[in-house]
Amino acid sequence: DSKKQTQLFIIHKPKGCLTSHKDDKKRPLVFDLAPRNLPRLISIGRLDYNTEGLLLLTNNGELARHVEHPNTGWIRKYRARVYGTINETKLAKLESGITIDGVIYKSIKVELESQKGHNSWLKISLKEGKNREIRKVMEYMGLIVNRLIRTSFGPFNLGNIPPKEIKEIKKSIIRDFLPDFAP
């Protein structure tokens, strides 16, 4: 029974690392950080090259498809350091969704965490996570994202896991949050 072998991991993906199994340009790969004794893993969603933070890895393709699908309803939370002038009224409107160049971005909740001159930290929550969504939406708002960290994905939190570290999620937690895939 393949369920018995289901494994789920959190890795703290560092900036400058690809969420890929191979790269023609020989850049660092997130899967190279995993210990060699683990089975072949796949990522649940992706984080772009310059984004850091929580990435979920599993050996179960069905589980990966289930978790990354927006219908699961799991919220992905980020901290973003942005440069530019913050317009909190415009940012609040992102909660009802936005269309940029024909691409529909569903509700994005943005909260100003701190501000110093033109540099600000934002807390961002979304359910979808389209390719480079936060960077594109912030650019449309006149803000440049110069650091982006995913802090949580559904019930899983980065906590104090250091960059490049991988941590297995306990079977009991898989049972609690993903009972259909529990060992």
Side-chain angles (χ1 to χ4, degrees), residues 112-178:
L112 180 62
E113 189 179 309
S114 65
Q115 195 169 11
K116 196 172 191 175
H118 289 290
N119 290 296
S120 304
W121 278 99
L122 304 175
K123 285 183 181 176
I124 301 172
S125 304
L126 48 89
K127 282 186 185 172
E128 234 178 358
K130 288 184 173 156
N131 185 29
R132 301 180 63 78
E133 178 170 346
I134 292 172
R135 293 177 192 280
K136 289 174 183 173
V137 170
M138 290 301 127
E139 185 180 332
Y140 184 80
M141 294 282 148
L143 301 169
I144 298 161
V145 175
N146 49 41
R147 190 163 180 205
L148 186 58
I149 308 159
R150 179 157 53 194
T151 57
S152 70
F153 191 140
F156 305 107
N157 293 296
L158 186 60
N160 56 7
I161 298 171
K164 299 184 180 182
E165 288 291 313
I166 187 167
K167 180 178 149 194
E168 186 165 8
I169 293 171
K170 292 183 176 112
K171 308 267 184 259
S172 61
I173 294 172
I174 296 172
R175 272 194 295 279
D176 288 349
F177 294 106
L178 296 158

Short mmCIF file of all heavy atoms in Angstrom, two decimals, residues 112-178:
data_model
loop_
_atom_site.label_atom_id
_atom_site.label_comp_id
_atom_site.label_asym_id
_atom_site.label_seq_id
_atom_site.Cartn_x
_atom_site.Cartn_y
_atom_site.Cartn_z
N LEU A 112 0.41 45.91 6.42
CA LEU A 112 1.68 46.61 6.63
C LEU A 112 2.24 46.21 7.99
O LEU A 112 1.59 46.40 9.01
CB LEU A 112 1.47 48.13 6.55
CG LEU A 112 2.69 49.01 6.74
CD1 LEU A 112 3.74 48.76 5.66
CD2 LEU A 112 2.27 50.48 6.75
N GLU A 113 3.43 45.63 7.98
CA GLU A 113 4.06 45.19 9.22
C GLU A 113 4.94 46.30 9.80
O GLU A 113 4.88 46.60 10.98
CB GLU A 113 4.89 43.93 8.94
CG GLU A 113 5.42 43.24 10.16
CD GLU A 113 6.21 41.99 9.79
OE1 GLU A 113 5.71 41.14 9.03
OE2 GLU A 113 7.35 41.87 10.28
N SER A 114 5.77 46.89 8.96
CA SER A 114 6.63 47.98 9.41
C SER A 114 7.07 48.81 8.21
O SER A 114 7.04 48.34 7.07
CB SER A 114 7.86 47.45 10.16
OG SER A 114 8.68 46.71 9.28
N GLN A 115 7.48 50.04 8.49
CA GLN A 115 7.88 50.95 7.42
C GLN A 115 9.01 51.84 7.91
O GLN A 115 8.97 52.34 9.03
CB GLN A 115 6.66 51.80 7.04
CG GLN A 115 6.78 52.51 5.74
CD GLN A 115 5.43 53.12 5.32
OE1 GLN A 115 4.47 53.17 6.09
NE2 GLN A 115 5.36 53.58 4.08
N LYS A 116 10.03 52.00 7.06
CA LYS A 116 11.14 52.89 7.37
C LYS A 116 11.52 53.55 6.06
O LYS A 116 12.09 52.91 5.17
CB LYS A 116 12.31 52.06 7.95
CG LYS A 116 13.35 52.89 8.65
CD LYS A 116 14.35 52.00 9.36
CE LYS A 116 15.23 52.82 10.29
NZ LYS A 116 16.12 51.99 11.07
N GLY A 117 11.13 54.81 5.93
CA GLY A 117 11.36 55.51 4.66
C GLY A 117 10.57 54.84 3.56
O GLY A 117 9.37 54.62 3.69
N HIS A 118 11.27 54.48 2.47
CA HIS A 118 10.60 53.82 1.34
C HIS A 118 10.68 52.30 1.42
O HIS A 118 10.24 51.61 0.51
CB HIS A 118 11.18 54.31 0.01
CG HIS A 118 10.80 55.72 -0.31
ND1 HIS A 118 9.52 56.08 -0.65
CD2 HIS A 118 11.53 56.86 -0.32
CE1 HIS A 118 9.47 57.38 -0.86
NE2 HIS A 118 10.67 57.89 -0.66
N ASN A 119 11.25 51.78 2.50
CA ASN A 119 11.33 50.33 2.68
C ASN A 119 10.26 49.89 3.68
O ASN A 119 10.13 50.48 4.75
CB ASN A 119 12.71 49.90 3.20
CG ASN A 119 13.77 50.08 2.14
OD1 ASN A 119 13.73 49.43 1.10
ND2 ASN A 119 14.70 50.98 2.38
N SER A 120 9.50 48.86 3.31
CA SER A 120 8.44 48.36 4.17
C SER A 120 8.44 46.85 4.18
O SER A 120 8.85 46.21 3.20
CB SER A 120 7.07 48.82 3.66
OG SER A 120 7.02 50.22 3.54
N TRP A 121 7.97 46.29 5.27
CA TRP A 121 7.70 44.85 5.35
C TRP A 121 6.19 44.67 5.32
O TRP A 121 5.47 45.34 6.05
CB TRP A 121 8.26 44.26 6.64
CG TRP A 121 9.72 43.95 6.58
CD1 TRP A 121 10.74 44.71 7.07
CD2 TRP A 121 10.33 42.79 6.00
NE1 TRP A 121 11.94 44.08 6.83
CE2 TRP A 121 11.72 42.90 6.18
CE3 TRP A 121 9.83 41.65 5.36
CZ2 TRP A 121 12.63 41.93 5.72
CZ3 TRP A 121 10.72 40.69 4.90
CH2 TRP A 121 12.10 40.84 5.09
N LEU A 122 5.74 43.77 4.46
CA LEU A 122 4.32 43.46 4.35
C LEU A 122 4.10 42.00 4.72
O LEU A 122 4.96 41.15 4.45
CB LEU A 122 3.84 43.67 2.90
CG LEU A 122 4.05 45.04 2.27
CD1 LEU A 122 3.63 45.01 0.81
CD2 LEU A 122 3.27 46.11 3.03
N LYS A 123 2.94 41.72 5.31
CA LYS A 123 2.49 40.34 5.50
C LYS A 123 1.45 40.10 4.42
O LYS A 123 0.51 40.88 4.29
CB LYS A 123 1.86 40.16 6.88
CG LYS A 123 2.85 40.13 8.02
CD LYS A 123 2.12 39.86 9.32
CE LYS A 123 3.08 39.85 10.49
NZ LYS A 123 2.37 39.68 11.77
N ILE A 124 1.64 39.03 3.66
CA ILE A 124 0.75 38.75 2.52
C ILE A 124 0.19 37.35 2.66
O ILE A 124 0.93 36.40 2.93
CB ILE A 124 1.53 38.90 1.20
CG1 ILE A 124 2.09 40.33 1.08
CG2 ILE A 124 0.65 38.55 0.00
CD1 ILE A 124 3.03 40.56 -0.08
N SER A 125 -1.13 37.22 2.46
CA SER A 125 -1.80 35.92 2.52
C SER A 125 -2.59 35.71 1.24
O SER A 125 -3.29 36.62 0.79
CB SER A 125 -2.78 35.85 3.70
OG SER A 125 -2.12 36.13 4.90
N LEU A 126 -2.47 34.51 0.67
CA LEU A 126 -3.23 34.19 -0.54
C LEU A 126 -3.50 32.70 -0.60
O LEU A 126 -2.86 31.92 0.10
CB LEU A 126 -2.51 34.67 -1.80
CG LEU A 126 -1.03 34.37 -1.97
CD1 LEU A 126 -0.82 33.04 -2.64
CD2 LEU A 126 -0.38 35.46 -2.80
N LYS A 127 -4.46 32.31 -1.45
CA LYS A 127 -4.81 30.89 -1.56
C LYS A 127 -4.28 30.27 -2.83
O LYS A 127 -4.19 29.06 -2.92
CB LYS A 127 -6.33 30.70 -1.52
CG LYS A 127 -6.90 30.80 -0.13
CD LYS A 127 -8.37 30.46 -0.13
CE LYS A 127 -8.97 30.67 1.25
NZ LYS A 127 -10.40 30.52 1.26
N GLU A 128 -3.99 31.09 -3.83
CA GLU A 128 -3.66 30.52 -5.14
C GLU A 128 -2.17 30.33 -5.38
O GLU A 128 -1.72 29.21 -5.54
CB GLU A 128 -4.24 31.40 -6.24
CG GLU A 128 -5.10 30.62 -7.18
CD GLU A 128 -5.72 31.52 -8.23
OE1 GLU A 128 -5.51 32.74 -8.22
OE2 GLU A 128 -6.41 30.97 -9.07
N GLY A 129 -1.43 31.40 -5.41
CA GLY A 129 0.00 31.28 -5.63
C GLY A 129 0.38 31.03 -7.07
O GLY A 129 1.08 30.07 -7.37
N LYS A 130 -0.09 31.88 -7.98
CA LYS A 130 0.30 31.76 -9.39
C LYS A 130 1.77 32.14 -9.54
O LYS A 130 2.35 32.76 -8.65
CB LYS A 130 -0.56 32.69 -10.25
CG LYS A 130 -1.98 32.21 -10.40
CD LYS A 130 -2.78 33.10 -11.33
CE LYS A 130 -4.13 32.49 -11.56
NZ LYS A 130 -5.14 33.45 -11.94
N ASN A 131 2.34 31.83 -10.69
CA ASN A 131 3.74 32.09 -10.97
C ASN A 131 4.09 33.57 -10.73
O ASN A 131 3.50 34.45 -11.34
CB ASN A 131 4.05 31.70 -12.42
CG ASN A 131 5.51 31.84 -12.76
OD1 ASN A 131 6.37 31.70 -11.90
ND2 ASN A 131 5.80 32.13 -14.00
N ARG A 132 5.01 33.80 -9.81
CA ARG A 132 5.51 35.14 -9.47
C ARG A 132 4.38 36.13 -9.11
O ARG A 132 4.51 37.34 -9.29
CB ARG A 132 6.39 35.68 -10.59
CG ARG A 132 7.60 34.77 -10.87
CD ARG A 132 8.50 35.29 -11.98
NE ARG A 132 9.11 36.56 -11.66
CZ ARG A 132 10.16 36.76 -10.86
NH1 ARG A 132 10.73 35.74 -10.28
NH2 ARG A 132 10.64 37.96 -10.66
N GLU A 133 3.29 35.60 -8.57
CA GLU A 133 2.09 36.41 -8.28
C GLU A 133 2.38 37.63 -7.42
O GLU A 133 1.99 38.75 -7.76
CB GLU A 133 1.03 35.52 -7.62
CG GLU A 133 -0.23 36.27 -7.23
CD GLU A 133 -1.36 35.35 -6.80
OE1 GLU A 133 -1.31 34.13 -7.01
OE2 GLU A 133 -2.33 35.88 -6.23
N ILE A 134 3.05 37.43 -6.29
CA ILE A 134 3.28 38.55 -5.37
C ILE A 134 4.15 39.61 -6.04
O ILE A 134 3.85 40.80 -5.97
CB ILE A 134 3.90 38.06 -4.04
CG1 ILE A 134 2.85 37.24 -3.28
CG2 ILE A 134 4.41 39.23 -3.20
CD1 ILE A 134 3.38 36.53 -2.05
N ARG A 135 5.21 39.19 -6.71
CA ARG A 135 6.10 40.14 -7.38
C ARG A 135 5.36 40.94 -8.44
O ARG A 135 5.52 42.16 -8.54
CB ARG A 135 7.30 39.41 -7.98
CG ARG A 135 8.22 38.81 -6.91
CD ARG A 135 9.37 38.03 -7.53
NE ARG A 135 10.07 37.22 -6.55
CZ ARG A 135 10.98 37.68 -5.70
NH1 ARG A 135 11.31 38.96 -5.71
NH2 ARG A 135 11.56 36.88 -4.84
N LYS A 136 4.53 40.28 -9.24
CA LYS A 136 3.79 40.95 -10.31
C LYS A 136 2.76 41.93 -9.75
O LYS A 136 2.64 43.05 -10.24
CB LYS A 136 3.11 39.92 -11.22
CG LYS A 136 4.08 39.15 -12.08
CD LYS A 136 3.39 38.04 -12.86
CE LYS A 136 4.38 37.23 -13.67
NZ LYS A 136 3.75 36.06 -14.30
N VAL A 137 2.02 41.49 -8.73
CA VAL A 137 0.98 42.34 -8.14
C VAL A 137 1.61 43.56 -7.44
O VAL A 137 1.13 44.69 -7.59
CB VAL A 137 0.07 41.53 -7.19
CG1 VAL A 137 -0.85 42.45 -6.40
CG2 VAL A 137 -0.74 40.51 -7.98
N MET A 138 2.69 43.34 -6.72
CA MET A 138 3.35 44.47 -6.04
C MET A 138 3.94 45.45 -7.06
O MET A 138 3.84 46.67 -6.87
CB MET A 138 4.44 43.97 -5.09
CG MET A 138 3.90 43.24 -3.87
SD MET A 138 2.79 44.26 -2.87
CE MET A 138 1.37 43.19 -2.76
N GLU A 139 4.50 44.93 -8.13
CA GLU A 139 5.04 45.80 -9.19
C GLU A 139 3.91 46.66 -9.78
O GLU A 139 4.06 47.86 -10.00
CB GLU A 139 5.68 44.96 -10.29
CG GLU A 139 6.37 45.79 -11.36
CD GLU A 139 7.01 44.93 -12.44
OE1 GLU A 139 7.39 43.77 -12.16
OE2 GLU A 139 7.12 45.43 -13.57
N TYR A 140 2.76 46.04 -9.99
CA TYR A 140 1.58 46.76 -10.49
C TYR A 140 1.17 47.86 -9.51
O TYR A 140 0.67 48.91 -9.91
CB TYR A 140 0.43 45.76 -10.70
CG TYR A 140 -0.81 46.36 -11.30
CD1 TYR A 140 -0.89 46.59 -12.67
CD2 TYR A 140 -1.90 46.68 -10.50
CE1 TYR A 140 -2.04 47.12 -13.23
CE2 TYR A 140 -3.06 47.22 -11.05
CZ TYR A 140 -3.12 47.44 -12.42
OH TYR A 140 -4.25 47.99 -12.97
N MET A 141 1.41 47.63 -8.21
CA MET A 141 1.09 48.62 -7.16
C MET A 141 2.21 49.65 -7.00
O MET A 141 2.18 50.47 -6.09
CB MET A 141 0.89 47.91 -5.82
CG MET A 141 -0.29 47.00 -5.75
SD MET A 141 -1.78 47.98 -5.54
CE MET A 141 -2.96 46.98 -6.40
N GLY A 142 3.24 49.56 -7.84
CA GLY A 142 4.34 50.51 -7.78
C GLY A 142 5.39 50.17 -6.73
O GLY A 142 6.17 51.04 -6.32
N LEU A 143 5.42 48.91 -6.31
CA LEU A 143 6.37 48.48 -5.28
C LEU A 143 7.32 47.43 -5.85
O LEU A 143 6.92 46.58 -6.63
CB LEU A 143 5.61 47.88 -4.09
CG LEU A 143 4.60 48.80 -3.40
CD1 LEU A 143 3.73 48.02 -2.43
CD2 LEU A 143 5.32 49.94 -2.69
N ILE A 144 8.57 47.51 -5.44
CA ILE A 144 9.56 46.53 -5.87
C ILE A 144 9.82 45.58 -4.70
O ILE A 144 10.19 46.01 -3.61
CB ILE A 144 10.88 47.22 -6.28
CG1 ILE A 144 10.64 48.15 -7.47
CG2 ILE A 144 11.96 46.18 -6.60
CD1 ILE A 144 11.73 49.19 -7.65
N VAL A 145 9.60 44.29 -4.95
CA VAL A 145 9.87 43.27 -3.92
C VAL A 145 11.36 42.98 -3.94
O VAL A 145 11.89 42.54 -4.95
CB VAL A 145 9.07 41.97 -4.18
CG1 VAL A 145 9.45 40.89 -3.18
CG2 VAL A 145 7.56 42.24 -4.11
N ASN A 146 12.05 43.25 -2.82
CA ASN A 146 13.48 42.93 -2.79
C ASN A 146 13.80 41.79 -1.83
O ASN A 146 14.94 41.35 -1.74
CB ASN A 146 14.35 44.17 -2.53
CG ASN A 146 13.88 44.99 -1.36
OD1 ASN A 146 13.48 44.45 -0.35
ND2 ASN A 146 13.92 46.30 -1.52
N ARG A 147 12.78 41.26 -1.15
CA ARG A 147 12.95 40.03 -0.38
C ARG A 147 11.57 39.42 -0.19
O ARG A 147 10.61 40.14 0.13
CB ARG A 147 13.59 40.32 0.97
CG ARG A 147 13.98 39.04 1.69
CD ARG A 147 14.97 39.28 2.81
NE ARG A 147 15.30 38.01 3.46
CZ ARG A 147 15.71 37.91 4.70
NH1 ARG A 147 15.88 39.00 5.44
NH2 ARG A 147 15.98 36.73 5.21
N LEU A 148 11.47 38.12 -0.40
CA LEU A 148 10.18 37.44 -0.27
C LEU A 148 10.40 36.10 0.43
O LEU A 148 11.23 35.29 -0.01
CB LEU A 148 9.56 37.22 -1.66
CG LEU A 148 8.14 36.64 -1.70
CD1 LEU A 148 7.15 37.52 -0.93
CD2 LEU A 148 7.68 36.49 -3.15
N ILE A 149 9.67 35.91 1.53
CA ILE A 149 9.84 34.72 2.37
C ILE A 149 8.47 34.08 2.61
O ILE A 149 7.58 34.74 3.14
CB ILE A 149 10.43 35.11 3.76
CG1 ILE A 149 11.70 35.94 3.60
CG2 ILE A 149 10.67 33.86 4.61
CD1 ILE A 149 12.05 36.76 4.84
N ARG A 150 8.31 32.80 2.21
CA ARG A 150 7.05 32.12 2.55
C ARG A 150 7.22 31.60 3.98
O ARG A 150 8.16 30.88 4.27
CB ARG A 150 6.74 30.97 1.60
CG ARG A 150 5.45 30.28 2.03
CD ARG A 150 4.71 29.51 0.97
NE ARG A 150 5.55 28.55 0.31
CZ ARG A 150 5.21 27.94 -0.83
NH1 ARG A 150 4.07 28.24 -1.44
NH2 ARG A 150 6.02 27.07 -1.38
N THR A 151 6.29 32.01 4.85
CA THR A 151 6.38 31.64 6.26
C THR A 151 5.47 30.47 6.63
O THR A 151 5.72 29.79 7.61
CB THR A 151 6.05 32.84 7.16
OG1 THR A 151 4.73 33.34 6.80
CG2 THR A 151 7.08 33.96 6.98
N SER A 152 4.41 30.27 5.83
CA SER A 152 3.54 29.13 6.10
C SER A 152 2.77 28.72 4.86
O SER A 152 2.60 29.51 3.92
CB SER A 152 2.58 29.41 7.26
OG SER A 152 1.61 30.35 6.90
N PHE A 153 2.32 27.47 4.88
CA PHE A 153 1.52 26.90 3.80
C PHE A 153 0.50 26.02 4.51
O PHE A 153 0.84 24.98 5.06
CB PHE A 153 2.41 26.08 2.88
CG PHE A 153 1.79 25.63 1.58
CD1 PHE A 153 2.52 25.66 0.41
CD2 PHE A 153 0.48 25.17 1.51
CE1 PHE A 153 1.97 25.26 -0.80
CE2 PHE A 153 -0.08 24.76 0.32
CZ PHE A 153 0.67 24.80 -0.84
N GLY A 154 -0.77 26.48 4.55
CA GLY A 154 -1.79 25.76 5.28
C GLY A 154 -1.39 25.63 6.74
O GLY A 154 -0.96 26.61 7.36
N PRO A 155 -1.44 24.42 7.29
CA PRO A 155 -1.13 24.23 8.71
C PRO A 155 0.37 24.15 9.01
O PRO A 155 0.75 24.03 10.17
CB PRO A 155 -1.80 22.88 9.03
CG PRO A 155 -1.74 22.14 7.73
CD PRO A 155 -1.91 23.19 6.66
N PHE A 156 1.20 24.23 7.98
CA PHE A 156 2.64 24.06 8.17
C PHE A 156 3.35 25.40 8.22
O PHE A 156 3.15 26.25 7.36
CB PHE A 156 3.22 23.16 7.07
CG PHE A 156 2.50 21.85 6.98
CD1 PHE A 156 1.64 21.57 5.94
CD2 PHE A 156 2.66 20.90 7.99
CE1 PHE A 156 0.96 20.36 5.87
CE2 PHE A 156 1.98 19.69 7.93
CZ PHE A 156 1.13 19.42 6.87
N ASN A 157 4.19 25.57 9.26
CA ASN A 157 4.90 26.84 9.47
C ASN A 157 6.40 26.64 9.41
O ASN A 157 6.91 25.62 9.86
CB ASN A 157 4.53 27.42 10.84
CG ASN A 157 3.09 27.84 10.89
OD1 ASN A 157 2.68 28.74 10.18
ND2 ASN A 157 2.30 27.16 11.71
N LEU A 158 7.09 27.67 8.89
CA LEU A 158 8.54 27.63 8.80
C LEU A 158 9.17 27.64 10.19
O LEU A 158 10.17 26.98 10.43
CB LEU A 158 9.04 28.82 7.96
CG LEU A 158 10.52 28.85 7.65
CD1 LEU A 158 10.94 27.62 6.86
CD2 LEU A 158 10.85 30.11 6.86
N GLY A 159 8.55 28.41 11.09
CA GLY A 159 9.08 28.49 12.45
C GLY A 159 10.54 28.93 12.43
O GLY A 159 10.90 29.85 11.70
N ASN A 160 11.38 28.25 13.18
CA ASN A 160 12.79 28.65 13.26
C ASN A 160 13.72 27.66 12.53
O ASN A 160 14.87 27.51 12.88
CB ASN A 160 13.21 28.82 14.72
CG ASN A 160 12.96 27.57 15.55
OD1 ASN A 160 12.60 26.52 15.02
ND2 ASN A 160 13.13 27.68 16.85
N ILE A 161 13.17 26.98 11.51
CA ILE A 161 14.00 26.07 10.72
C ILE A 161 15.02 26.93 9.96
O ILE A 161 14.63 27.84 9.23
CB ILE A 161 13.15 25.24 9.72
CG1 ILE A 161 12.14 24.36 10.47
CG2 ILE A 161 14.05 24.39 8.81
CD1 ILE A 161 11.12 23.69 9.57
N PRO A 162 16.32 26.67 10.14
CA PRO A 162 17.32 27.49 9.45
C PRO A 162 17.36 27.21 7.94
O PRO A 162 16.95 26.14 7.50
CB PRO A 162 18.65 27.09 10.10
CG PRO A 162 18.36 26.01 11.08
CD PRO A 162 16.91 25.67 11.02
N PRO A 163 17.85 28.19 7.14
CA PRO A 163 17.96 27.97 5.70
C PRO A 163 18.71 26.68 5.39
O PRO A 163 19.66 26.31 6.10
CB PRO A 163 18.74 29.19 5.22
CG PRO A 163 18.42 30.25 6.22
CD PRO A 163 18.30 29.52 7.54
N LYS A 164 18.28 25.99 4.36
CA LYS A 164 18.84 24.73 3.85
C LYS A 164 18.48 23.51 4.68
O LYS A 164 18.79 22.40 4.31
CB LYS A 164 20.37 24.80 3.68
CG LYS A 164 20.83 25.86 2.71
CD LYS A 164 22.33 25.78 2.54
CE LYS A 164 22.80 26.86 1.57
NZ LYS A 164 24.25 26.76 1.34
N GLU A 165 17.82 23.70 5.83
CA GLU A 165 17.46 22.57 6.69
C GLU A 165 16.17 21.93 6.21
O GLU A 165 15.27 22.61 5.73
CB GLU A 165 17.28 23.01 8.14
CG GLU A 165 18.57 23.37 8.84
CD GLU A 165 19.49 22.18 9.09
OE1 GLU A 165 19.00 21.13 9.57
OE2 GLU A 165 20.69 22.30 8.79
N ILE A 166 16.08 20.62 6.37
CA ILE A 166 14.88 19.86 6.01
C ILE A 166 14.41 19.12 7.26
O ILE A 166 15.22 18.65 8.05
CB ILE A 166 15.17 18.89 4.84
CG1 ILE A 166 13.90 18.23 4.34
CG2 ILE A 166 16.24 17.88 5.20
CD1 ILE A 166 14.05 17.51 3.01
N LYS A 167 13.08 19.09 7.43
CA LYS A 167 12.51 18.48 8.63
C LYS A 167 11.33 17.62 8.20
O LYS A 167 10.45 18.08 7.47
CB LYS A 167 12.06 19.61 9.55
CG LYS A 167 11.44 19.19 10.86
CD LYS A 167 11.09 20.44 11.67
CE LYS A 167 9.89 20.16 12.53
NZ LYS A 167 9.28 21.34 13.09
N GLU A 168 11.31 16.38 8.66
CA GLU A 168 10.19 15.50 8.31
C GLU A 168 8.98 15.86 9.15
O GLU A 168 9.09 16.13 10.34
CB GLU A 168 10.56 14.03 8.51
CG GLU A 168 9.45 13.10 8.01
CD GLU A 168 9.85 11.65 7.83
OE1 GLU A 168 10.98 11.28 8.23
OE2 GLU A 168 9.05 10.89 7.29
N ILE A 169 7.81 15.87 8.51
CA ILE A 169 6.56 16.12 9.22
C ILE A 169 6.08 14.78 9.78
O ILE A 169 6.04 13.78 9.07
CB ILE A 169 5.53 16.75 8.27
CG1 ILE A 169 6.01 18.16 7.88
CG2 ILE A 169 4.15 16.82 8.93
CD1 ILE A 169 5.23 18.82 6.78
N LYS A 170 5.74 14.80 11.06
CA LYS A 170 5.34 13.57 11.75
C LYS A 170 4.09 12.95 11.11
O LYS A 170 3.20 13.66 10.65
CB LYS A 170 5.05 13.86 13.23
CG LYS A 170 6.28 14.23 14.02
CD LYS A 170 5.92 14.43 15.49
CE LYS A 170 7.14 14.70 16.31
NZ LYS A 170 7.21 16.05 16.84
N LYS A 171 4.05 11.63 11.15
CA LYS A 171 2.92 10.87 10.59
C LYS A 171 1.59 11.31 11.24
O LYS A 171 0.57 11.39 10.58
CB LYS A 171 3.11 9.36 10.80
CG LYS A 171 4.46 8.84 10.32
CD LYS A 171 4.41 8.35 8.90
CE LYS A 171 5.71 7.75 8.46
NZ LYS A 171 6.53 8.62 7.63
N SER A 172 1.62 11.61 12.55
CA SER A 172 0.39 12.01 13.25
C SER A 172 -0.15 13.33 12.70
O SER A 172 -1.35 13.54 12.63
CB SER A 172 0.65 12.13 14.75
OG SER A 172 1.64 13.11 15.01
N ILE A 173 0.75 14.21 12.28
CA ILE A 173 0.33 15.50 11.70
C ILE A 173 -0.25 15.29 10.31
O ILE A 173 -1.25 15.90 9.95
CB ILE A 173 1.50 16.51 11.72
CG1 ILE A 173 1.85 16.83 13.17
CG2 ILE A 173 1.15 17.78 10.95
CD1 ILE A 173 3.09 17.66 13.38
N ILE A 174 0.36 14.37 9.55
CA ILE A 174 -0.21 14.03 8.24
C ILE A 174 -1.63 13.48 8.45
O ILE A 174 -2.55 13.85 7.73
CB ILE A 174 0.68 13.01 7.48
CG1 ILE A 174 2.05 13.63 7.18
CG2 ILE A 174 0.00 12.56 6.18
CD1 ILE A 174 3.08 12.65 6.60
N ARG A 175 -1.81 12.63 9.44
CA ARG A 175 -3.14 12.06 9.74
C ARG A 175 -4.13 13.17 10.08
O ARG A 175 -5.29 13.13 9.65
CB ARG A 175 -3.05 11.06 10.89
CG ARG A 175 -2.75 9.64 10.45
CD ARG A 175 -3.01 8.62 11.56
NE ARG A 175 -2.12 8.79 12.71
CZ ARG A 175 -0.87 8.33 12.77
NH1 ARG A 175 -0.36 7.70 11.74
NH2 ARG A 175 -0.13 8.54 13.84
N ASP A 176 -3.69 14.17 10.86
CA ASP A 176 -4.59 15.26 11.27
C ASP A 176 -5.03 16.14 10.09
O ASP A 176 -6.19 16.51 10.01
CB ASP A 176 -3.91 16.17 12.31
CG ASP A 176 -3.77 15.52 13.67
OD1 ASP A 176 -4.39 14.46 13.89
OD2 ASP A 176 -3.04 16.06 14.51
N PHE A 177 -4.10 16.48 9.21
CA PHE A 177 -4.38 17.46 8.16
C PHE A 177 -4.61 16.86 6.78
O PHE A 177 -5.20 17.50 5.92
CB PHE A 177 -3.28 18.52 8.10
CG PHE A 177 -3.23 19.36 9.34
CD1 PHE A 177 -2.23 19.19 10.28
CD2 PHE A 177 -4.22 20.30 9.61
CE1 PHE A 177 -2.19 19.95 11.43
CE2 PHE A 177 -4.19 21.06 10.76
CZ PHE A 177 -3.18 20.88 11.68
N LEU A 178 -4.12 15.65 6.55
CA LEU A 178 -4.26 15.00 5.26
C LEU A 178 -4.66 13.53 5.46
O LEU A 178 -3.93 12.62 5.06
CB LEU A 178 -2.93 15.11 4.49
CG LEU A 178 -2.50 16.52 4.13
CD1 LEU A 178 -1.01 16.59 3.88
CD2 LEU A 178 -3.30 17.02 2.93
#
